[in-house]
């Protein structure tokens, strides 16, 4: 009976192209759009978001520098639409995009504990804070620098752990989540995630640099009255 039951369960499992081979992906539906179409629509969507962002920046604070406008665009794009439990069985646009990316990392379709926790933190914390940083930059609020540093550190830390957990499973457990084609590994997995180290790293450096300069200026200003007082004292003594 147990053997018949197992055969019945195997028969009901839907075949899929993801690695590791045989991993269970509940309710999987194959994408109906081609890779080129998904990448094209995704790129077009990013351009529309950036165009709207630049329009709002020019309207509300046209005096912002180029790097500040670029930072706003980055933080606007950082929000993650969290819907991991229904992506495999959905053919909505974003679900198909994530299923396309899952060729490089199937953990996004299996509710992997690490990916689930990481993206929950992203959705609940880093995503909303990204919009707070955008508001602070638009309004010239000095809190933008510590908040920008905080979000950037979180993004870098999460990305390093993302790489590390996948590589640990690959080299120590022999479990591979990426298909064997080099394209999926080097473009989807490595390059697209490496962006979340490079850009936050630049923003983190800018935050540290501006913060250090601010403290240096304050320290010079606090020393100035003391120096003037000593100079006045010497003048009176003479």
């Amino acid at each position: 009976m147990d053997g018949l039951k197992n055969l019945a369960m195997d028969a009901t499992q839907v075949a899929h192209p993801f690695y590791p081979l045989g991993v269970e992906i509940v309710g999987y539906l194959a994408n109906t759009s081609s890779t080129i179409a998904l990448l094209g629509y995704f790129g077009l969507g990013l351009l529309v978001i950036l165009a709207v962002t630049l329009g709002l920046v020019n309207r509300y604070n046209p005096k912002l520098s180029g790097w500040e406008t670029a930072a706003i665009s980055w933080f606007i794009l950082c929000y993650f639409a969290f819907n991991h439990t229904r992506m495999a069985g959905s053919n909505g646009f974003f679900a198909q995009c994530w299923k396309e990316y899952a060729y490089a990392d199937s953990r996004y379709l299996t509710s992997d504990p690490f990916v689930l926790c990481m993206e929950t933190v992203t959705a609940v914390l880093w995503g909303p804070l990204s919009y707070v940083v955008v508001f602070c930059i638009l309004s010239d609020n000095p809190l933008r620098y510590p908040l920008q540093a905080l979000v950037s550190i979180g993004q870098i830390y999460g990305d390093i752990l993302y790489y590390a957990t996948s590589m640990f499973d690959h080299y120590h457990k022999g479990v591979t989540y990426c298909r064997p084609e080099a394209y999926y590994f080097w473009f989807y997995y490595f390059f697209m995630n490496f962006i979340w180290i490079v850009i936050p790293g630049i923003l983190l450096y800018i935050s540290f640099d501006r913060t250090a300069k601010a403290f240096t200026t304050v320290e010079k200003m606090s020393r100035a009255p003391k120096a003037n007082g000593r100079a006045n004292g010497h003048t009176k003594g003479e």
Side-chain angles (χ1 to χ4, degrees):
M1 292 295 294
D2 290 338
L4 292 174
K5 182 178 180 180
N6 291 334
L7 287 174
M9 291 178 63
D10 291 338
T12 58
Q13 289 184 353
V14 180
H16 60 75
F18 302 100
Y19 274 60
L21 296 174
V23 64
E24 183 181 4
I25 299 179
V26 179
Y28 170 71
L29 289 176
N31 279 353
T32 57
S33 300
S34 67
T35 299
I36 295 177
L38 288 174
L39 293 178
Y41 287 127
F42 184 74
L44 181 61
L46 292 182
L47 290 177
V48 171
I49 293 173
L50 289 176
V52 173
T53 300
L54 293 176
L56 292 175
V57 169
N58 290 330
R59 178 179 178 181
Y60 290 104
N61 196 342
K63 296 181 181 180
L64 289 178
S65 64
W67 84 262
E68 290 172 319
T69 302
I72 287 177
S73 301
W74 166 255
F75 285 113
I76 286 291
L77 295 175
C78 280
Y79 193 80
F80 176 81
F82 184 65
N83 190 22
H84 76 99
T85 57
R86 296 198 301 270
M87 285 194 296
S90 172
N91 268 333
F93 174 71
F94 288 107
Q96 291 195 63
C97 286
W98 279 112
K99 281 189 285 185
E100 176 66 25
Y101 176 78
Y103 288 132
D105 190 350
S106 64
R107 293 180 296 175
Y108 277 90
L109 298 182
T110 60
S111 293
D112 175 82
F114 169 75
V115 172
L116 177 58
C117 293
M118 179 187 68
E119 296 298 354
T120 299
V121 172
T122 299
V124 174
L125 188 60
W126 307 135
L129 274 179
S130 293
Y131 289 112
V132 175
V133 174
V134 168
F135 173 79
C136 289
I137 295 176
L138 280 174
S139 59
D140 288 326
N141 192 310
L143 281 176
R144 62 182 176 173
Y145 293 113
L147 289 178
Q148 180 175 286
L150 176 63
V151 175
S152 297
I153 289 173
Q155 291 174 336
I156 294 172
Y157 180 68
D159 212 24
I160 291 174
L161 286 180
Y162 176 72
Y163 279 137
T165 52
S166 178
M167 292 296 99
F168 178 85
D169 287 345
H170 176 73
Y171 288 107
H172 290 272
K173 295 182 179 180
V175 178
T176 300
Y177 302 109
C178 180
R179 286 188 57 82
E181 294 85 355
Y183 168 82
Y184 293 118
F185 179 83
W186 290 109
F187 182 67
Y188 283 9
Y189 176 77
F190 178 78
F191 174 74
M192 293 182 69
N193 287 288
F194 195 65
I195 295 173
W196 262 261
I197 291 179
V198 175
I199 296 180
I202 295 172
L203 294 172
L204 185 60
Y205 170 79
I206 292 173
S207 296
F208 284 170
D209 180 65
R210 297 300 172 88
T211 302
K213 288 180 179 178
F215 275 106
T216 300
T217 301
V218 171
E219 189 173 350
K220 288 181 179 179
M221 292 175 63
S222 65
R223 290 177 180 176
K226 297 179 181 178
N228 292 334
R230 288 194 295 268
N232 293 333
H234 287 305
T235 301
K236 292 179 180 179
E238 293 175 356

